[in-house]
């Protein structure tokens, strides 16, 4: 998935200025596709050149103007094509599993810190994602509210169900990560108590 499809997904709800896109990105599609502002703004310009979005200049107070982006018919067509494409799964590049595979080289306190930080990060993610999921289900999420306002009422249940389903997956994956790291802590404690030095420790 490229950033353009995440931006098109956001714009299928309603037109937004570049500032509002960057602001809402972090509270909606940004949870599943992270991108800093430094990537969002150039991508919007590229998408405008390719005809996927069009911008209208609107007054923004005083002499200032803001550019409001809306998705074009071509943008909708490409977004639909992407949604209907089953996609290709990529080979893993997992820093945390790579490090875990060689923790015999680490000091016990460092190995323990790796696992504890992993747990803390994913607990924070669960808290954040759970709050977003709750706001989706009670329809108080502003991005969802805008999408529902522009969609026929008979589609609302389906829209909400799929959004909540996506966050269910994120939450379940984070819980699995926590359980994995907790087992890692048990291993660290087990081998920290073992007086037999490893080959790596003997070479240190």
């Amino acid at each position: 998935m490229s950033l353009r499809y995440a931006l098109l997904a956001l714009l299928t709800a309603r037109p937004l200025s570049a500032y509002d896109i960057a602001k809402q990105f972090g509270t909606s599609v940004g949870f599943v596709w992270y991108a800093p502002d430094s990537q969002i703004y150039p991508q919007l310009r590229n998408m405008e050149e390719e005809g996927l979005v069009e911008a209208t200049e609107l007054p923004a107070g005083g002499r200032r103007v803001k550019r409001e982006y809306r998705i074009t018919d071509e943008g909708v067509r490409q977004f639909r094509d992407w949604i209907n494409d089953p996609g290709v799964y990529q080979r893993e590049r997992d820093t945390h599993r790579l490090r875990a595979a060689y923790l015999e080289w680490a000091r016990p306190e460092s190995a323990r810190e790796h696992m504890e930080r992993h747990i803390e990060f994913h607990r924070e993610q669960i808290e954040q994602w759970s709050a977003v999921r709750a706001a989706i289900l009670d329809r108080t999420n502003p991005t969802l509210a805008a999408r529902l306002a522009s969609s026929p009422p008979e589609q609302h249940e389906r829209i909400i169900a799929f959004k909540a389903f996506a966050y269910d997956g994120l939450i379940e994956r984070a819980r699995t990560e926590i359980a994995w790291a907790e087992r890692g802590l048990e291993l660290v404690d087990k081998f920290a108590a073992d007086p037999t030095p490893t080959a790596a420790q003997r070479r240190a």
Side-chain angles (χ1 to χ4, degrees):
M1 175 180 173
S2 70
L3 175 57
R4 70 174 51 204
Y5 295 117
L7 294 171
L8 288 174
L10 195 58
L11 288 170
T12 57
R14 58 173 172 168
L16 293 166
S17 69
Y19 171 79
D20 288 331
I21 289 171
K23 184 178 179 181
Q24 291 191 24
F25 194 88
T27 59
S28 56
V29 291
F31 286 122
V32 292
W33 190 264
Y34 170 76
D37 293 356
S38 59
Q39 293 180 7
I40 292 174
Y41 290 95
Q43 183 63 250
L44 283 170
R45 290 193 291 270
N46 291 340
M47 291 164 63
E48 184 178 9
E49 291 175 1
E50 295 173 30
L52 304 180
V53 299
E54 58 185 14
T56 303
E57 290 192 349
L58 301 174
R63 297 182 179 179
R64 296 185 303 112
V65 296
K66 65 178 180 180
R67 307 189 83 225
E68 185 179 75
Y69 290 88
R70 73 173 59 243
I71 190 169
T72 64
D73 290 343
E74 177 61 17
V76 170
R77 186 191 68 76
Q78 289 201 24
F79 181 71
R80 286 188 183 278
D81 287 346
W82 172 75
I83 283 289
N84 287 297
D85 186 340
V88 177
Y89 284 86
Q90 303 294 325
R91 297 288 296 271
E92 288 285 338
R93 290 183 177 180
D94 192 324
T95 301
H96 304 294
R97 299 312 188 279
L98 178 61
R99 181 180 283 116
Y102 294 94
L103 282 180
E104 74 270 19
W105 289 77
R107 298 184 301 274
E109 61 271 21
S110 296
R112 190 173 292 107
E113 182 181 3
H114 291 323
M115 296 297 104
E116 289 173 346
R117 290 181 65 183
H118 200 80
I119 292 169
E120 180 183 5
F121 173 79
H122 285 94
R123 282 178 176 165
E124 291 174 352
Q125 293 292 93
I126 288 175
E127 183 177 353
Q128 188 176 46
W129 290 332
S130 296
V132 175
R133 182 182 182 277
I136 287 170
L137 292 177
D138 65 19
R139 306 188 181 201
T140 58
N141 179 277
T143 304
L144 175 70
R147 186 175 299 280
L148 295 179
S150 63
S151 303
E154 61 271 18
Q155 293 185 13
H156 289 189
E157 183 179 357
R158 180 174 64 175
I159 291 169
I160 292 169
F162 281 123
K163 301 294 181 293
F165 172 70
Y167 283 94
D168 286 341
L170 292 172
I171 292 166
E172 289 166 10
R173 186 173 63 189
R175 286 175 177 158
T176 299
E177 291 291 332
I178 290 171
W180 173 77
E182 287 173 341
R183 294 198 304 274
L185 282 174
E186 292 174 0
L187 282 176
V188 171
D189 289 341
K190 173 184 176 180
F191 291 112
D194 187 347
T196 305
T198 65
Q201 290 170 333
R202 288 194 294 269
R203 289 195 296 269

